[in-house]
Amino acid sequence: MIDALIAGRLYGTPQHRTSKNGNAFATAKVRTAMANGESSIVNVVAFSDTARTALLGLAEGDSVAIAGELKVSTYTDKHGAARPSLDLTAHVVLTEYHVQRKRKAVEVAA
């Protein structure tokens, strides 16, 4: 696995799910900008309570930065072309709310 930090906007609404053994998790898709001007979709899954809660508190189009383990693979699209597949297991989810909260905490401490 690759330790990664991705940033982008949510593509669709995050979903709350439950595994067969009863464990809760969340899934989401994040659209990230690429250097060549195109964008890529990263499939995100969050198992920890903090990452899951942060992800589920967001809506489509919200900005987000996520750190975690990235798995890169390929799939064949409907036209037969090989395309990259990016899957991220989220460890930390950082949103605009988190940034504002940290800024206020620093201002109070100063």
Side-chain angles (χ1 to χ4, degrees):
M1 294 286 177
I2 302 167
D3 284 331
L5 172 64
I6 64 157
R9 294 191 177 272
L10 280 179
Y11 183 72
T13 304
Q15 300 294 311
H16 179 269
R17 302 193 186 277
T18 305
S19 67
K20 292 178 185 177
N21 61 4
N23 293 331
F25 65 98
T27 60
K29 293 184 183 296
V30 176
R31 182 184 299 264
T32 61
M34 306 287 280
N36 62 4
E38 294 182 15
S39 63
S40 189
I41 300 292
V42 179
N43 301 304
V44 178
V45 62
F47 296 105
S48 74
D49 289 340
T50 53
R52 189 177 74 245
T53 301
L55 203 56
L56 292 171
L58 299 173
E60 181 172 8
D62 285 347
S63 294
V64 65
I66 304 173
E69 294 179 20
L70 183 68
K71 179 183 174 192
V72 180
S73 57
T74 59
Y75 71 95
T76 305
D77 69 11
K78 62 184 175 183
H79 303 292
R83 307 277 297 171
S85 173
L86 303 171
D87 300 308
L88 184 79
T89 301
H91 294 221
V92 178
V93 176
L94 182 64
T95 67
E96 182 179 347
Y97 165 78
H98 294 103
V99 172
Q100 290 174 356
R101 191 174 83 189
K102 287 181 188 276
R103 283 184 183 158
K104 286 181 183 177
V106 169
E107 290 171 1
V108 170

